[in-house]
Amino acid sequence: GGLTFTFDCSAQNHVTSKLSFTVFYVKLYTEIHKPFSFRYKDLHVYQLEHPTQVLEWTSGNSVCVAGYSQSKNEILELRLPLKLLADENKSLCAERDFKVSHGGFTDGPVRCLTHIPGTRCAVTNDGLSSDLQVWDLGGEESDVIRRTGSIKGKRSASERGSRIAARPSSAPQVLHGAQISDVQLTELASGETLYKLETDSADPLSSLQFVSDTVFLAGCCNGSVYVADTRTSAPPQLSHSPSSAESVIWWTDAAAGPHPSSRRVIRVSSSGQAVVSDLRNLGGAGCQAQLDVQTPGRCSQVKVSWAPTLDDCISVSGFSGVVQIYNTRLWGAEPQEARPLFEHRGHAVSSQQTDDSVPTFVTSHIWHPERPRTLLSAASDGSVHVWDWVDPNRQGGSPTP
Amino acid sequence: MPEIKVTPLGAGQDVGRSCILVSIGGKNIMLDCGMHMGYNDDRRFPDFSYITQNGRLTDFLDCLIISHFHLDHCGALPYMSEMVGYDGPIYMTHPTKAICPILLEDFRKITVDKKGETNFFTSQMIKDCMKKVIPLNLHQTVQVDDELEIKAYYAGHVLGAAMVHIKVGSESVVYTGDYNMTPDRHLGAAWIDKCRPDILISESTYATTIRDSKRCRERDFLKKVHESIERGGKVLIPVFALGRAQELCILLETFWERMNLKAPIYFSTGLTEKANHYYKLFITWTNQKIRKTFVQRNMFEFKHIKAFDRSYADNPGPMVVFATPGMLHAGQSLQIFKKWAGNEKNMVIMPGYCVQGTIGHKILNGQRKLEMEGRATLDVKLQVEYMSFSAHADAKGIMQLIRMAEPRNMLLVHGEAVKMEFLKGKIEQEFSIDCYMPANGETTTVTTNPSVPVDISLNLLKREMALGGPLPDPKKPRTMHGTLIMKENSLKLVSSEQALKELGLNEHQLRFTCHVQLQDPHSDADTLHRIYTHLKSVLKGYTIQHLPDGTVIVESIVIKVSSSAEDSNTKVLLLSWSYQVKTWTLFLERFTLIYNGVLPGG
């Protein structure tokens, strides 16, 4: 015998509320009735008013999100719930909510947001041109995120906008550009250009990051990767795309580990091909795999990321409403189908999307810099999840650190 | 200027208690009368000296409204009513009226018996205070007196919680109390119509929160229970309010069914009695046609959940028990706790806030050694889990509520204005309304723009419409001419003719005249004709006529020409116009200058 419930919601919205609540309950009922494998150590699910495409740490316990609608949007700095961060008295802490610690308004979409380490400053790009906006995230005394300036980019109109990377240490400087020939390093305080990448290629960029304080990696949409040093004007090292297929787009991430030996680069294509190589020998033999992604080809915001503290683990999102974690140690020299180590399906399962013709997809995800298996993910329906996954290979053993 | 004053009573940045004073249309209303749970001295009561320095509050307040039964909203009620003194009406919903005294009595017992306080309200005071309560039904307008009316709306949050609409004349205020915008298993979401109050008053603390989903909280709860059961432990869940216990029971029942678990689940007898009592309350509440929950069945007819007997507590093996009271301060839940506390395999899950002085409060603060009666100490070895299931609105919820009610101004209490600039900006931008954030003890004055309804006569309306031009718009008002007649309590706007007729008066006409001298040798008739031709060419778009009786008419200005007696070359123009045409004096001057320029002497 099952339970039956009839919920009449407010007099005005009689039928629709009843229906939507029933749908919600059915989904919930089904979800609870799945085999209760303890796949998560922690799971928090939030709903933002507007979806975000950016997730950026501003400290160990706070993260920035921002809207990407055509006109006005909000930038929010969210503080993670105390319960997630409390390691010792976790059970006595009931606080599970995000706190909006600071907020501000933008005039356009935010497609890229980078925090300048050691400061309360962030830099954004709207994806329409290569100009950057500079923001003060606010301090103790005010909760307002204010625009303090801008940095002119090379292109007044750009299809994808600029990628931004903040220099890890030293004075606040940002590396930015919409295409490889535009990459420049700008000092925030003066607006002065300290470095320009010398190359003629006009390939648009899909990623830009520092792998050390002065060496950076620029990944192009066509799959080629450039490595250069901001201290020299020497031409960059170029590694060509793993594939010559034209309609394929590539995304790149470099593991910026402490040891040069751990510095590897992964490239993932829109067709699900993944290639890992050593930073010092990009063209050399690495390992590869064919990722298990649904709807390959239909993606615009793929994010691939090395796990900061777990060796060999990478995460991929953007192909659907799922975030996948793979162990690259299992990959070989020949491309084989890889199965993910873990899949976070929360965004697809509990989608808040009102329009069912467009499936929810994950817009971004990030790893916590220190907590080994904690990630944040955001999706096109405005959901943001914080999850701490359990390694299925270690399940049943002692509590994972 | 008409204005509404709002003052959150209390000091500094205190968030723990709600008590707000509103002055509207000459009436004074107190919203909630909460106790601050963090203080042990008089600071826990609201500071009524703001209202009057000495004595009773009856003469200074028209009514007191309580939003729901949580102690931070009603905890100071008996103190205010019986110790400070207030004999006026106290309004609250039926369920609040039923549950309030129980919570107040529990709270009184803890404070006096457990903490040994003396200057506190008594049981009799609680009873006397509740006698002054007038219960409210949802969506029913209640006349407090012939000018002040109030109406309760469904707020969700807890059983009986209401948002309240207060109206005096054409000014109004809505106070939200605590509310929730997403439906619960046994409570719906808050709802209000587009009542467009002058001020919407709400808590600022929610506005900066983004809440973790209900599913995650439930998942965590089930996980913890399961882990304990799996290792053979016993789980105690102290509950008070039926609503929350009901939800958790449903959760466990479903989970047990799916996972095919065998461990017994019990609910204590104290809960069954309360169950039937609250069941009846639910029915009364739902008779308001807002929500039907679990109708037509005994609320505790579960397959896996059975009635508890105190001897079961000693049974070996895993089990789950729901027991009252909720803060472990007495009764069955405390008895069970004492038996199970020594075993680390066991667990106690506290689903809500515990008042200072209770065992619940102590263990939630990490205390692992408790002093019991007779100097005995209890070692707390079982696992203590604090889980909050209370349903509150958040940032998104506040925006939704504002969209629903369409207030003209927003007022947020219990926040630090300096640190809420973003939220203020967000509300002001999105809704183009002002957002106020008074500190405790500070008064905010909001100037209202009350609209006064006036009937307009059909004839006058037709006449105005015939004049053409844009339709009147709230943002672009259109001026019109008419006579306002105030008779008894009604106002009407009629045309001047109709007003004169009703009053039996004759209409008087005012005409102005002026003489303009010109030098022109032509005959009077010729001069007039030249003036006519000239005006026709410079004043395009105006009706200009040359009448056979020797006058030129420009719209309603009449022009006649005559020669001066002394000199036939000096012409005198007689211009005459009616009272309405004041602006024509400007044209007159212009006319003179142009004319003198065009026709040089001769």
Side-chain angles (χ1 to χ4, degrees), chain B residues 1 33 63 100 110 134-135 174 272 303 351 406 436 451 453 504-505 510 522 540 548 561 571 584:
Chain B
M1 286 301 294
C33 191
C63 73
C100 236
I110 295 168
I134 304 171
V174 168
T272 340
K303 217 169 102 174
E406 287 192 13
Y436 299 90
S451 55
L505 294 171
L510 283 172
H522 299 97
K540 302 228 177 4
V561 174
K571 296 282 181 285
W584 283 88

Side-chain angles (χ1 to χ4, degrees), chain A residues 198-226:
Chain A
E198 300 295 344
T199 170
D200 296 324
S201 165
D203 295 329
L205 290 180
S206 64
S207 77
L208 190 62
Q209 67 189 116
F210 277 96
V211 290
S212 77
D213 193 47
T214 57
V215 177
F216 68 90
L217 183 146
C220 297
C221 292
N222 64 9
S224 52
V225 166
Y226 292 75

Side-chain angles (χ1 to χ4, degrees), chain B residues 105-269:
Chain B
E105 179 54 35
D106 254 2
F107 179 49
R108 190 206 67 77
K109 265 207 278 237
I110 295 168
T111 311
V112 171
D113 300 346
K114 298 280 165 215
K115 286 156 71 179
E117 285 198 33
T118 45
N119 187 28
F120 209 71
F121 50 81
T122 63
S123 293
Q124 188 57 43
M125 286 181 187
I126 297 175
K127 294 193 177 95
D128 292 339
C129 156
M130 296 310 291
K131 287 192 191 122
K132 299 171 187 167
V133 170
I134 304 171
L136 293 171
N137 289 316
L138 285 173
H139 300 178
Q140 190 183 57
T141 305
V142 170
Q143 293 289 141
V144 177
D145 59 36
D146 48 1
E147 283 162 318
L148 170 61
E149 56 182 58
I150 61 176
K151 182 154 78 161
Y153 287 92
Y154 192 81
H157 183 57
V158 290
L159 180 59
M163 304 191 288
V164 84
H165 181 255
I166 298 148
K167 193 159 123 156
V168 179
S170 57
E171 291 178 310
S172 63
V173 163
V174 168
Y175 171 57
T176 64
D178 285 347
Y179 63 103
N180 182 38
M181 297 303 288
T182 45
D184 217 283
R185 285 175 201 276
H186 72 292
L187 292 170
W191 181 85
I192 193 165
D193 50 19
K194 247 195 237 307
C195 50
R196 298 212 171 101
D198 289 289
I199 311 176
L200 176 63
I201 303 175
S202 188
E203 279 285 331
S204 57
T205 41
Y206 309 144
T208 49
T209 305
I210 299 180
R211 288 186 71 76
D212 188 11
S213 74
K214 190 114 209 231
R215 254 174 64 186
C216 285
R217 291 170 207 270
E218 292 178 345
R219 179 203 163 268
D220 233 22
F221 168 72
L222 292 173
K223 187 162 173 251
K224 291 281 180 251
V225 172
H226 189 249
E227 279 169 0
S228 297
I229 297 296
E230 288 284 276
R231 60 170 183 247
K234 297 169 165 58
V235 182
L236 171 65
I237 307 174
V239 285
F240 155 73
L242 181 68
R244 211 54 70 194
Q246 189 70 9
E247 278 197 29
L248 299 179
C249 279
I250 294 169
L251 258 184
L252 284 185
E253 166 94 348
T254 331
F255 186 63
W256 247 239
E257 186 70 27
R258 183 60 190 171
M259 303 289 282
N260 204 17
L261 298 175
K262 301 296 177 202
I265 310 176
Y266 300 110
F267 56 89
S268 66
T269 43

Side-chain angles (χ1 to χ4, degrees), chain B residues 287-523:
Chain B
N287 276 348
Q288 307 310 318
K289 291 188 167 71
I290 295 302
R291 151 165 319 287
K292 276 187 222 146
T293 36
F294 324 124
V295 268
Q296 267 103 52
R297 59 194 294 265
N298 179 338
M299 296 231 254
F300 279 97
E301 236 172 59
F302 289 114
K303 217 169 102 174
H304 300 279
I305 308 181
K306 305 277 174 255
F308 186 69
D309 182 274
R310 56 154 72 172
S311 62
Y312 297 174
D314 299 315
N315 289 357
M319 71 174 82
V320 181
V321 177
F322 288 93
T324 57
M327 299 184 225
L328 286 181
H329 52 282
Q332 192 159 68
S333 61
L334 183 58
Q335 265 181 30
I336 299 170
F337 176 77
K338 284 189 209 168
K339 282 188 200 249
W340 295 358
N343 188 336
E344 63 239 347
K345 283 201 218 155
N346 296 340
M347 179 185 283
V348 62
I349 299 180
M350 307 298 297
Y353 178 80
C354 293
V355 162
Q356 234 184 49
T358 56
I359 302 258
H361 190 263
K362 290 181 183 154
I363 59 173
L364 285 179
N365 274 342
Q367 222 173 306
R368 303 302 277 179
K369 265 187 171 21
L370 298 171
E371 245 192 50
M372 311 300 297
E373 281 94 50
R375 302 280 193 89
T377 46
L378 182 66
D379 271 325
V380 180
K381 293 201 183 135
L382 86 176
Q383 236 182 290
V384 179
E385 288 283 336
Y386 186 15
M387 298 193 170
S388 163
F389 290 96
S390 75
H392 274 300
D394 63 359
K396 186 172 167 194
I398 281 202
M399 303 303 272
Q400 278 175 309
L401 189 69
I402 298 176
R403 239 167 256 131
M404 259 194 205
E406 287 192 13
R408 287 167 227 261
N409 297 280
M410 190 68 203
L411 192 136
L412 295 168
V413 293
H414 301 144
E416 293 178 58
V418 137
K419 296 200 181 165
M420 315 269 320
E421 219 187 301
F422 168 64
L423 175 68
K424 185 166 148 55
K426 188 170 139 115
I427 290 175
E428 288 176 349
Q429 257 187 48
E430 178 139 353
F431 301 109
S432 302
I433 59 176
D434 284 328
C435 180
Y436 299 90
M437 292 171 167
N440 288 344
E442 191 186 287
T443 303
T444 295
T445 306
V446 176
T447 313
T448 57
N449 211 359
S451 55
V452 180
V454 172
D455 290 328
I456 179 172
S457 88
L458 197 57
N459 282 332
L460 185 57
L461 188 61
K462 281 186 183 163
R463 188 199 295 188
E464 280 296 316
M465 295 309 292
L467 291 175
L471 288 174
D473 188 287
K475 300 206 168 81
K476 281 196 184 135
R478 193 172 132 168
T479 2
M480 55 175 286
H481 278 120
T483 309
L484 187 69
I485 301 182
M486 290 163 79
K487 214 170 178 181
E488 285 142 14
N489 271 338
S490 70
L491 294 153
K492 60 179 177 172
L493 198 61
V494 300
S495 64
S496 336
E497 295 86 17
Q498 202 175 324
L500 286 167
K501 207 158 125 195
E502 275 191 44
L503 293 164
L505 294 171
N506 288 324
E507 189 180 0
H508 297 281
Q509 290 262 344
L510 283 172
R511 285 198 78 85
F512 294 89
T513 60
C514 105
H515 295 92
V516 179
Q517 277 200 343
L518 292 170
Q519 292 299 116
D520 193 7
H522 299 97
S523 71

